[in-house]
């Protein structure tokens, strides 16, 4: 089965007066229909810019300089602006961290959803509203017909995020890019939304890229995980592989520093130092200065090490079990 | 338990918003126009022993930050009293309030907002002790240097400005500023929530080391259950302005008694392999402007009965060390 989304060698650069910064560096992955890929990283790792690059939403001074993005076999980078606009929202949709980035505060939910339906498909307004109602139903919004008449400010944060997800679903896209969509929500509401998202992938077969800093969320939600550091994917594999048997020292370090995995009150294993600035990356492996396994060899570009489909960018990967 | 350092006794905090002119006029026509009252805290009773770290956990709107602010003397309680070392904290007597500001120190969530961007960090740390004459003027710079070293930075950093530091380093500076006042009690309001996981571990380690070495007492407010379990001795769970469960951390995590606590634990994703089903709590958090009658959790509670809709459950002793506010533990829900 071919992948719904295929990203290959994607590289995004920001040329600023202070110099050129490669925010996304040779990123490759693919997501099949019905699967959820977790794209994990700390702040500044390039995970969000990767999402925006796939959507073709990187603004000046940023620019996608290399690589390809394919959705259902269509190469997005070869499309004209007009054709790309037709793809966005219909075959490919995005959910943002703040639902108010998606929702227009002065329009009723039903009005803006019907508008979004009719941008891509010619149909009477009445039918578009019915489509919208169905989408709200799918994401578990109670009394959806009533909610169509509400304004965004009348809904809670969790409800707004559900509406944003419902809007992304309107045209049954093959791919949804979700950028930290539950980060601002309370845990009980996050739990409800994660359950709905899992159901969307399983029942409707949407391919989902879930961008987040939260390893706990992806480990319970995602099928596959990519770990990003300083613009690159440093480890990629199934959730079982990456969480259960991490091979990159950075992934291992991240997992160890989560309090829930350690004895309460004990010293938490920590990664020394802080995330590097992209404009001042060390030569070779960018994780080198913080890595306990680093040697002279790490001053050269790290090689790709692959085992059972689990890929690591490291000179000295952990052997694991 | 020895004599508590902090005693919070039946504290309530209400925020009232007076209606504007237009609302009053509209109110005169329609019979509304009453002031809007937010019940941020209702009847909270708590004690914190000297040297103890008490976690305060809850979702947004549960009143955990308001509780921290009342303890730090930023808000005066609407009802009830807060006592530090047996002496009531009141805002009316100016002398007391000033003494209080030195005894309770707060560490905020956002180290980008809590440090003055135009003040050298050494000045930021020295300002409090200098004003309150806690250390002699000629010893200030030495003290600042040793505080910076205590939080894992270099003494020479005193001459730098906040923008030269990362988020984790800024939070260290905020901790140094709080410690400079030699406080009796620290209030940490989501102090690690804005940090990346790897940096969060560094700051938590620092906090635990300082807490043990200096015997600090702290109110650790957080929404993150795994962080709270790691650093706290006892944990208070809050829901819609009320305390619903209070227990030693170990007991609480092994066997939660309140249905809300159990539901909260069930909805938190944990790092592990293998698929899991999210057992979501149904429904949403009600508005603190118009809390439901009876137990505030009853509309979302799978075990609620008729009594839960009528009667507010009292916080009752469940065993020697723990208290819980639920009819299930106090005669049944029927």
């Amino acid at each position: 089965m071919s992948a719904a989304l295929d990203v290959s060698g994607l590289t995004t650069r920001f040329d600023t007066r202070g110099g050129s910064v490669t925010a996304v560096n040779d990123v490759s992955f693919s997501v099949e229909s019905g699967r959820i890929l977790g794209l994990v990283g700390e702040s500044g790792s390039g995970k969000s810019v990767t999402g925006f690059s796939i959507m073709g939403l990187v603004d000046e001074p940023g620019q996608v300089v290399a690589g390809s993005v394919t959705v259902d076999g269509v190469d997005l980078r070869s499309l004209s602006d007009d054709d790309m606009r037709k793809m966005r929202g219909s075959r490919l949709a995005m959910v943002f961290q703040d639902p108010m980035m998606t929702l227009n505060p002065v329009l009723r939910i039903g009005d803006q959803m019907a508008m979004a339906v009719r941008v891509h498909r010619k149909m009477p307004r009445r039918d578009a509203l019915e489509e919208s109602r169905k989408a709200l139903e799918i994401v578990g919004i109670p009394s959806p017909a009533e909610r169509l008449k509400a304004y965004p400010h009348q809904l809670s944060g969790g409800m707004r995020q559900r509406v944003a997800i419902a809007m992304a679903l309107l045209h049954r896209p093959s791919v949804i890019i979700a950028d930290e969509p539950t980060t601002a929500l309370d845990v009980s509401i996050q739990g409800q939304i994660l359950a709905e998202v899992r159901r969307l992938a399983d029942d409707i077969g949407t391919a989902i890229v879930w961008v987040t800093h939260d390893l706990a969320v992806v480990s319970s939600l995602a099928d596959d995980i990519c770990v990003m550091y300083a613009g690159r994917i440093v480890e990629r594999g199934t959730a079982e592989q990456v969480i259960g048997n991490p091979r990159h020292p950075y992934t291992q370090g991240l997992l160890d520093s989560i309090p829930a995995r350690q004895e309460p009150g004990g010293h938490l294993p920590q990664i020394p130092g802080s995330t590097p600035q992209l404009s001042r990356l060390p030569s070779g492996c960018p994780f080198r200065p913080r890595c306990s396994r680093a040697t002279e060899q790490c001053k050269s570009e790290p090689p790709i090490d692959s085992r059972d489909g689990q890929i690591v960018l490291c000179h000295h990967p952990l052997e694991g079990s | 338990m020895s004599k508590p350092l902090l005693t919070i006794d039946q504290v309530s905090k209400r925020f009232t918003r007076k209606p504007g002119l237009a609302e009053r006029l509209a109110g005169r026509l329609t019979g509304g126009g009453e002031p809007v009252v937010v019940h941020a805290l209702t009847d909270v009773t708590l004690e914190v022993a000297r040297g103890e770290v008490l976690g305060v956990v809850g979702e947004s709107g549960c009143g955990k930050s308001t509780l921290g602010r009342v303890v730090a003397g930023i808000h005066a309680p609407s009802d009830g009293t807060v006592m530090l070392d047996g002496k009531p904290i009141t805002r009316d007597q100016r002398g007391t309030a000033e003494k209080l500001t030195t005894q309770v120190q707060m560490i905020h969530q956002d180290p980008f907002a809590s440090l003055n961007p135009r003040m050298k960090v050494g000045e930021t740390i020295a300002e409090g002790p200098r004003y309150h004459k806690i250390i002699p003027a000629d010893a200030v710079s030495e003290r600042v240097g040793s505080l910076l070293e205590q939080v894992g930075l270099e003494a020479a950093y005193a001459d730098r400005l906040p923008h030269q530091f990362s988020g984790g380093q800024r939070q260290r500076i905020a901790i140094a500023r709080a410690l400079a006042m030699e406080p009796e009690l620290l209030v940490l309001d989501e102090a690690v929530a804005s940090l990346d996981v790897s940096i969060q571990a560094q700051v938590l380690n620092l906090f635990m080391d300082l807490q043990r070495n200096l015997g600090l007492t702290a109110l650790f407010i957080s929404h993150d259950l795994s962080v709270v379990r790691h650093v706290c001795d006892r944990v208070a769970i809050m829901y819609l302005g009320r305390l619903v469960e209070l227990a030693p951390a170990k007991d609480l995590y092994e066997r939660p008694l309140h249905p809300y606590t159990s539901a909260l634990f069930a909805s938190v994703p944990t790092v592990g392999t293998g698929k899991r089903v999210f057992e979501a709590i149904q429904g949403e958090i009600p508005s603190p402007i118009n809390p439901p009658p009876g137990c505030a959790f009853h509309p979302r509670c799978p075990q609620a009965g008729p009594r839960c809709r009528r009667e507010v459950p009292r916080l009752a002793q469940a065993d020697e060390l723990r208290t819980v506010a639920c009819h299930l533990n106090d005669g049944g829900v029927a």
Side-chain angles (χ1 to χ4, degrees):
Chain A
M1 185 174 157
S2 73
L5 171 69
D6 191 71
V7 177
S8 171
L10 187 67
T11 303
T12 303
R13 207 171 60 208
F14 288 78
D15 292 313
T16 64
R17 269 193 307 185
S20 163
V21 161
T22 307
V24 178
N25 193 346
D26 196 15
V27 161
S28 305
F29 58 81
S30 60
V31 194
E32 284 172 19
S33 296
R35 283 181 86 82
I36 301 177
L37 175 101
L39 197 57
V40 196
E42 297 185 283
S43 27
S45 63
K47 56 188 191 302
S48 290
V49 183
T50 303
F52 283 98
S53 302
I54 293 170
M55 293 296 296
L57 291 175
V58 175
D59 283 330
E60 287 289 324
Q63 200 185 351
V64 177
V65 291
S68 69
V69 178
T70 323
V71 171
D72 294 337
V74 179
D75 180 8
L76 298 188
R77 287 196 65 210
S78 68
L79 296 180
S80 66
D81 285 356
D82 216 32
D83 288 338
M84 185 63 203
R85 194 173 304 124
K86 283 179 187 149
M87 285 294 281
R88 246 185 254 127
S90 60
R91 312 284 351 116
L92 173 71
M94 189 155 185
V95 180
F96 300 90
Q97 175 170 353
D98 177 4
M100 291 313 282
M101 271 176 87
T102 309
L103 300 177
N104 184 332
V106 299
L107 290 182
R108 291 177 197 273
I109 300 292
D111 290 340
Q112 48 190 312
M113 287 186 81
M115 201 188 289
V117 174
R118 299 212 290 172
V119 166
H120 293 289
R121 276 184 285 167
K122 274 201 172 13
M123 63 166 72
R125 202 182 112 83
R126 199 174 347 107
D127 296 353
L129 279 171
E130 177 55 22
E131 289 271 318
S132 311
R133 195 193 59 76
K134 279 188 202 146
L136 293 181
E137 205 163 27
I138 290 172
V139 295
I141 291 186
S143 47
E146 301 297 310
R147 301 293 178 165
L148 285 176
K149 294 179 198 131
Y151 286 96
H153 77 264
Q154 294 172 305
L155 306 180
S156 66
M159 276 302 160
R160 284 181 202 160
Q161 196 56 284
R162 280 170 203 253
V163 172
I165 295 173
M167 286 182 87
L169 281 176
L170 280 174
H171 299 282
R172 296 288 155 95
S174 308
V175 178
I176 292 181
I177 314 277
D179 186 11
E180 303 260 14
T182 58
T183 304
L185 303 177
D186 280 311
V187 276
S188 69
I189 310 299
Q190 167 173 283
Q192 295 170 359
I193 288 188
L194 295 182
E196 299 293 347
V197 167
R198 186 67 253 180
R199 223 166 39 78
L200 288 179
D202 292 343
D203 298 356
I204 304 178
T206 317
I208 296 170
V209 178
W210 195 267
V211 179
T212 184
H213 70 285
D214 193 331
L215 274 165
V217 166
V218 285
S219 82
S220 29
L221 177 75
D223 301 297
D224 302 290
I225 293 179
C226 291
V227 180
M228 288 192 76
Y229 188 80
R232 310 170 195 222
I233 290 180
V234 295
E235 178 154 12
R236 191 176 92 199
T238 64
E240 285 76 19
Q241 286 172 331
V242 174
I243 302 291
N245 192 10
R247 298 197 61 219
H248 197 286
Y250 175 63
T251 315
Q252 179 74 56
L254 272 186
L255 286 167
D256 284 345
S257 54
I258 297 173
R261 288 165 70 92
Q262 306 296 332
E263 189 61 24
H267 184 85
L268 293 167
Q270 60 189 42
I271 304 176
S274 53
T275 34
Q277 286 188 7
L278 289 173
S279 54
R280 274 181 279 165
L281 282 186
S283 62
C285 173
F287 187 57
R288 171 166 61 86
R290 305 176 72 190
C291 184
S292 58
R293 299 169 72 87
T295 61
E296 273 299 302
Q297 207 185 357
C298 300
K299 288 183 181 166
S300 62
E301 278 295 313
I304 293 171
D305 183 289
S306 171
R307 193 167 74 189
D308 303 332
Q310 184 175 5
I311 287 167
V312 214
L313 209 59
C314 185
H315 282 289
H316 310 292
L318 299 154
E319 282 316 312
S321 46
Chain B
M1 198 159 73
S2 58
K3 205 168 132 248
L5 174 69
L6 174 72
T7 310
I8 302 169
D9 188 22
Q10 296 189 312
V11 164
S12 297
K13 177 69 194 172
R14 293 176 293 274
F15 293 99
T16 310
R17 187 174 66 87
K18 292 215 179 77
L21 179 66
E23 284 167 296
R24 284 207 306 277
L25 289 174
R28 195 164 292 178
L29 296 174
T30 60
E34 295 292 309
V36 177
V37 181
V38 177
H39 300 268
L41 284 179
T42 310
D43 207 10
V44 173
T45 299
L46 265 182
E47 285 181 348
V48 185
R50 202 175 278 279
E52 184 182 39
V53 181
L54 180 82
V56 182
V57 178
E59 298 181 279
S60 34
C62 75
K64 56 187 191 299
S65 290
T66 307
L67 182 67
R69 284 161 171 265
V70 166
V71 168
I74 297 170
H75 296 316
S78 309
D79 292 310
T81 48
V82 179
M83 290 198 286
L84 194 70
D85 221 0
K87 290 186 252 343
I89 289 170
T90 46
R91 269 270 160 198
D92 311 334
Q93 301 154 323
R94 187 164 157 67
T96 322
E98 196 158 293
K99 179 118 199 322
L100 169 78
T101 52
T102 73
Q103 287 178 338
V104 184
Q105 286 295 311
M106 205 159 172
I107 295 163
H108 300 271
Q109 172 170 0
D110 183 0
F112 289 82
S114 67
L115 299 176
N116 185 339
R118 297 185 177 212
M119 213 182 218
K120 287 178 181 167
V121 302
E123 280 302 303
T124 296
I125 296 170
E127 197 184 23
R130 187 178 285 147
Y131 177 79
H132 290 282
K133 301 188 177 63
I134 288 173
I135 33 180
D138 55 348
V140 167
S141 71
E142 196 184 322
R143 175 89 174 118
V144 166
S146 77
L147 279 164
L148 282 170
E149 280 167 6
Q150 215 170 2
V151 298
L153 298 172
E154 287 170 33
Y157 287 0
D159 287 330
R160 296 194 184 177
L161 290 165
H163 75 86
Q164 294 172 287
F165 295 93
S166 67
Q169 287 174 320
R170 287 184 203 211
Q171 207 55 306
R172 288 171 192 265
I173 293 164
I175 293 173
R177 172 176 60 182
L179 293 180
M181 301 301 292
E182 295 170 7
E184 295 273 358
L185 177 74
L186 282 181
V187 176
L188 297 98
D189 190 1
E190 297 279 11
V192 295
S194 65
L195 306 176
D196 277 323
V197 218
S198 68
I199 309 302
Q200 174 179 292
Q202 296 174 0
V203 175
L204 287 177
N205 281 336
L206 170 70
F207 171 72
M208 289 188 292
D209 289 345
L210 291 171
Q211 195 269 327
R212 272 173 214 146
N213 297 341
L214 307 176
L216 297 172
T217 311
L219 207 58
F220 193 98
I221 299 165
S222 176
H223 72 286
D224 189 327
L225 290 160
S226 66
V227 167
V228 166
R229 175 177 200 173
H230 201 80
V231 301
C232 298
D233 302 309
R234 283 194 307 151
V235 179
I237 306 277
M238 294 187 66
Y239 188 75
L240 218 64
R242 288 175 192 272
L243 190 61
V244 297
E245 184 160 8
L246 176 65
K250 190 167 169 290
D251 299 350
L252 186 78
Y253 284 79
E254 275 169 11
R255 195 171 60 92
L257 292 179
H258 198 284
Y260 175 63
T261 315
S262 323
L264 199 58
F265 288 170
S267 52
V268 176
T270 49
V271 178
T273 52
K275 284 281 161 307
R276 48 162 294 183
V277 186
F278 295 98
E279 295 164 41
I281 308 181
Q282 296 305 308
E284 305 219 349
I285 305 161
S287 157
I289 295 172
N290 192 11
C295 171
F297 188 57
H298 87 256
R300 305 175 77 191
C301 181
Q303 286 154 285
R307 187 177 166 205
C308 306
R309 285 185 273 278
R310 287 194 310 266
E311 195 183 321
V312 178
R314 286 177 328 127
L315 202 61
Q317 209 74 26
D319 59 39
E320 204 183 327
L321 292 169
R322 33 196 318 186
T323 48
V324 59
C326 178
H327 292 314
L328 285 172
N329 291 281
D330 188 21
V333 296

